[in-house]
Amino acid sequence: MKKTYKANNISCGNCANMIKASLTEEFGEISVNLEANPKEVTVEIKNEAQEQKFKDEMKDIGFDVIEE
């Protein structure tokens, strides 16, 4: 199921490209909405374990997921 998360510290296209480059291989297609405030990241999530891993990896690269 596709889920959309709001995240901190995403400010521009370079941030979006970093998220995609870092996480697309593991999580598949990722889209970043730079028009939203806070910015939104949409990704296909299969289960709770994968969801937690996605949140952890977002944090590791500097973008905290703040809510779904």
Side-chain angles (χ1 to χ4, degrees), residues 13-67:
N14 287 336
C15 297
N17 289 336
M18 180 178 173
I19 291 167
K20 290 176 185 177
S22 299
L23 304 178
T24 296
E25 185 174 320
E26 183 167 356
F27 295 97
E29 183 181 345
I30 295 173
S31 62
V32 179
N33 181 355
L34 295 173
E35 302 296 319
N37 189 18
K39 308 301 187 249
E40 297 176 336
V41 179
T42 301
V43 62
E44 183 78 25
I45 295 292
K46 296 175 184 152
N47 55 47
E48 287 183 23
Q50 188 186 35
E51 180 175 43
Q52 187 59 52
K53 186 165 184 146
F54 175 75
K55 290 178 179 178
D56 290 345
E57 294 201 14
M58 283 284 290
K59 186 173 184 174
D60 286 347
I61 60 173
F63 307 103
D64 287 329
V65 171
I66 52 176
E67 65 181 88

